[in-house]
Amino acid sequence: MGTGEPSPLESVNAFFDEAADLIHLRDEMYAVLKTSYREIQVQVPVRMDNGDLSVFTGYRVQHNGARGPYKGGIRYHPAADLDEVRALASLMTWKTALVDIPFGGAKGGITVDPTDMSAHELETMTRRFTNAIGHVLGVNRDIPAPDVNTNAQVMAWMMDAYSAGHGYTPAIVTGKPLDLGGAPGREAATGRGVVYVLEAACKRWGVDLSTARVAIQGFGNVGSWVARALHEQHVRVVAVSDARGGIYRSDGLDVAALEDIATSRRSVVEVAGYDQITNDELIECDCDVLVPAALGDVITQRNADRVRATILLEAANHPTDTAGDKILNERGVRIVPDVLANAGGVTGSYFEWAQNIQQFKWKEGRFNDELRDVMTRSFDAVADFAESRRIPLRPAAFAIAIERVARASKMRGYI
Ligand code: GLU
């Protein structure tokens, strides 16, 4: 983030303010919805493999629980500080409300670069962190999930650490391995959800997806599944990237050949036969649909006027800051906002949690059908609202969500 650019929290708050004005949110409710319910910061000391002690800082922020237990991922990243986690927790409140699943919003993180950590160090850190925040978690209280640099294995450790004190409790986290109560379909759910939303958008806007060229920034939990889901639909993916850089070919990449990259520690830049591009170049590359599926704040006033795509599909959380958003809107780029585009992940988490509680397992086909249904319905509701008010999708999505959370908060007696 360069000087003068808004912090993630300032940016999310500005999106909130715009939508709150649209629906004439009462001042008292505004004060309740704009702040977090609970924020905890914990110390996470870890004995590293070389004998040294590293002391990390972890966070769990519970933003609003009016509509259900707090819900949201845990990220391991050097930029995961209180400001960012707070912003992302509030986005989770709006996301769960928008797709109308019975959860509130939360987020957690540890300020750490996990890239070179061993499995043993990661496990020790995860267990320490889980124990430190365990008193605010609960199947009906707060349910973590994977996010940037965390995965099913991390969730298994969290579940094990929590279960040590509470008995076997698979529903305490979602995004688990299939052998521990994970739901077939959950791992792919964010990526598939992104593609279901894109299909609904193209149908409404009369865009022919079969000729569209899609560029995806990120090839992790989300980006690699977006690529695979597009490939299944025979949609051309022209660029992908990861932390080391990206690859581009205007007539499309061989997505099937890239699949094992996502599950190995290798990088897409090691795949021969394509033009090499940087992550910055990917944002500006020649494509029709741009899918940021990695970190936040990648589209700002620095580059928004050079985005060539006509549709921006926000698979990452908060990829566009307020200045970037304004520039793209002025240029007529259609933005499908994060709270809508990537809501397939938490919707899949809801399916997993509900199955854990019932001790029942759906087949993957049912999971995907239900997911498509939620994503398509949510897109249509946002697009209807946006068209009726002649506003972009982001303020429409926030307005629908804020109204729902405000109603629940009022009925619960928060104000
Ligand atoms: N980390 C994902 C998100 O940002 C999933 C959260 C969840 O499933 O609780 O939406």
Side-chain angles (χ1 to χ4, degrees):
M1 203 193 326
T3 34
E5 291 186 358
S7 75
L9 187 64
E10 285 166 348
S11 216
V12 169
N13 279 342
F15 293 144
F16 175 88
D17 290 351
E18 184 189 355
D21 280 352
L22 266 173
I23 57 169
H24 308 294
L25 192 72
R26 283 176 52 193
D27 287 350
E28 285 180 332
M29 188 57 84
Y30 182 91
V32 171
L33 299 190
K34 200 152 165 183
T35 51
S36 326
Y37 165 69
R38 171 155 55 188
E39 303 181 334
I40 62 174
Q41 176 179 325
V42 294
Q43 184 193 62
V44 188
V46 180
R47 181 70 60 193
M48 307 302 273
D49 293 347
N50 66 4
D52 291 350
L53 188 78
S54 293
V55 184
F56 302 107
T57 304
Y59 305 93
R60 185 70 178 169
V61 173
Q62 299 173 335
H63 176 261
N64 184 287
R67 302 181 67 265
Y70 301 99
K71 186 84 190 81
I74 303 279
R75 61 172 56 189
Y76 293 167
H77 196 271
D81 58 11
L82 185 56
D83 182 277
E84 184 185 77
V85 172
R86 220 182 239 158
L88 296 169
S90 111
L91 279 183
M92 288 308 301
T93 300
W94 316 126
K95 194 186 301 186
T96 53
L98 178 63
V99 293
D100 203 11
I101 55 176
F103 289 133
K107 202 80 174 194
I110 302 181
T111 317
V112 60
D113 180 359
T115 342
D116 295 321
M117 284 172 73
S118 69
H120 176 254
E121 290 165 343
L122 279 174
E123 177 174 352
T124 311
M125 182 174 79
T126 301
R127 288 180 183 280
R128 235 342 144 166
F129 177 60
T130 309
N131 292 337
I133 63 168
H135 61 294
V136 300
L137 303 182
V139 171
N140 294 306
R141 190 174 291 277
D142 186 349
I143 305 128
D147 198 79
V148 174
N149 292 330
T150 56
N151 56 20
Q153 175 62 75
V154 173
M155 294 305 113
W157 292 324
M158 290 193 81
M159 177 207 141
D160 186 71
Y162 187 85
S163 294
H166 295 83
Y168 188 70
T169 319
I172 192 60
V173 287
T174 56
K176 295 178 293 293
L178 297 185
D179 289 320
L180 292 176
R186 170 63 186 91
E187 196 184 306
T190 315
R192 279 200 198 288
V194 167
V195 175
Y196 293 152
V197 166
L198 179 62
E199 286 172 341
C202 288
K203 197 163 152 206
R204 181 174 282 246
W205 297 333
V207 174
D208 181 4
L209 194 51
S210 69
T211 59
R213 295 158 311 143
V214 185
I216 305 167
Q217 184 183 58
F219 207 63
N221 291 348
V222 181
S224 70
W225 284 106
V226 173
R228 277 181 253 193
L230 287 171
H231 182 66
E232 279 171 22
Q233 306 295 323
H234 310 288
V235 180
R236 238 183 321 164
V237 177
V238 294
V240 297
S241 69
D242 54 36
R244 283 177 55 194
I247 49 179
Y248 180 88
R249 187 160 75 193
S250 60
D251 58 356
L253 307 172
D254 180 359
V255 171
L258 293 172
E259 273 177 26
D260 60 322
I261 297 279
T263 48
S264 65
R265 279 200 159 193
R266 288 167 60 217
S267 163
V268 294
V269 298
E270 293 170 38
V271 182
Y274 299 117
D275 296 339
Q276 300 269 336
I277 54 171
T278 64
N279 269 300
D280 285 345
E281 285 164 349
L282 187 142
I283 297 289
E284 301 169 18
C285 79
D286 190 12
C287 64
D288 304 302
V289 181
L290 176 62
V291 187
L295 295 173
D297 288 317
V298 293
I299 300 166
T300 65
Q301 62 187 11
R302 277 186 304 115
N303 57 5
D305 55 348
R306 292 194 298 276
V307 167
R308 286 198 257 175
T310 52
I311 297 177
L312 174 68
L313 194 54
E314 295 186 337
N317 284 313
H318 194 59
T320 313
D321 74 2
T322 38
D325 183 76
K326 186 160 180 282
I327 295 168
L328 292 180
N329 280 324
E330 281 165 6
R331 294 183 49 221
V333 176
R334 297 187 197 258
I335 305 173
V336 185
D338 47 10
V339 288
L340 173 60
N342 72 30
V346 72
T347 303
S349 282
Y350 165 51
F351 299 157
E352 179 179 331
W353 176 77
Q355 290 171 67
N356 291 154
I357 288 170
Q358 298 172 58
Q359 303 189 359
F360 188 75
K361 209 167 201 152
W362 297 357
K363 295 199 180 74
E364 188 165 356
R366 175 171 177 194
F367 185 105
N368 290 340
D369 287 349
E370 299 266 0
L371 181 64
R372 182 191 282 276
D373 194 53
V374 170
M375 299 310 289
T376 306
R377 243 181 318 118
S378 304
F379 176 82
D380 285 337
V382 174
D384 285 347
F385 190 101
E387 279 166 25
S388 73
R389 303 282 193 110
R390 296 172 186 280
I391 54 172
L393 297 183
R394 193 189 314 275
F398 270 70
I400 294 172
I402 293 169
E403 227 157 24
R404 286 189 181 146
V405 179
R407 274 205 305 273
S409 299
K410 175 98 174 70
M411 286 187 278
R412 296 269 309 253
Y414 289 12
I415 67 165

